Amino acid sequence: MKNIFKLPFLTILVMLISSQIIFAQSSVKDTTINNNKQLVRISEIEVYPKDFDAYCAILKEEAAASVKLEPGVIAIFPMYIKADRSKIRILEIYANDEAYQQHLKTPHFQKYKTTTLTMVKSLKLLDMAVLDKETMSDIFKK
């Protein structure tokens, strides 16, 4: 029964990761960000089990602020592995490397990074390659 739910989730995740979003010029406030060189990444984070709730609260706040306030942040989609809540995964999509570099300097990211530093057991950043540039236009529109 559990496997029935895994297939649709994995299909959606693969679509998100393996595609590129097409932006409308009017939807991006800073036109220098829209250069079609998106940065797509999966962050693999392991937190100490005792810190899970506090970490997630801080991460949710940071992700919401990033998507809302930064035109170059297309998605920051946090999730955790059901079988092991200490293992967090974040799908991150930025308009380009410049948008990512700007993101790292924001007050909300700096707050997240400094307040969760002792909660994180390990961190691995996986840069992803886009397979299907045409598919994503219907999934995310920013």
Side-chain angles (χ1 to χ4, degrees):
M1 184 72 169
K2 290 180 183 178
N3 288 336
I4 293 172
F5 297 108
K6 288 180 184 178
L7 184 57
F9 173 75
L10 290 174
T11 302
I12 291 169
L13 186 58
V14 168
M15 287 174 53
L16 290 171
I17 295 167
S18 66
S19 301
Q20 180 170 347
I21 302 162
I22 299 170
F23 299 104
Q25 184 72 16
S26 62
S27 67
V28 178
K29 296 171 191 154
D30 179 2
T31 56
T32 62
I33 291 174
N34 188 12
N35 70 3
N36 293 322
K37 294 184 180 179
Q38 288 183 336
L39 175 74
V40 179
R41 169 175 291 149
I42 294 180
S43 296
E44 293 183 345
I45 302 163
E46 185 172 1
V47 297
Y48 294 101
K50 67 178 179 55
D51 294 319
F52 176 79
D53 291 332
Y55 179 87
C56 287
I58 296 164
L59 175 57
K60 285 172 59 175
E61 181 181 310
E62 191 279 333
S66 298
V67 172
K68 182 179 180 181
L69 301 173
E70 297 178 63
V73 174
I74 308 310
I76 295 185
F77 188 70
M79 59 198 106
Y80 64 89
I81 296 175
K82 283 184 176 184
D84 185 351
R85 294 180 355 142
S86 67
K87 294 181 180 171
I88 310 273
R89 302 298 183 258
I90 306 171
L91 170 64
E92 303 176 51
I93 304 174
Y94 302 92
N96 55 32
D97 188 61
E98 180 184 348
Y100 172 67
Q101 295 303 322
Q102 290 174 358
H103 168 70
L104 297 178
K105 297 173 187 173
T106 61
H108 49 269
F109 179 79
Q110 289 299 313
K111 177 183 174 187
Y112 157 76
K113 197 66 174 173
T114 58
T115 58
T116 62
L117 196 58
T118 60
M119 299 176 187
V120 175
K121 186 176 182 179
S122 67
L123 167 66
K124 185 175 182 181
L125 303 175
L126 303 171
D127 287 340
M128 307 301 291
V130 175
L131 294 176
D132 181 1
K133 295 179 182 183
E134 290 75 32
T135 304
M136 288 301 288
S137 62
D138 293 331
I139 296 174
F140 287 110
K141 293 185 180 179
K142 181 175 179 184

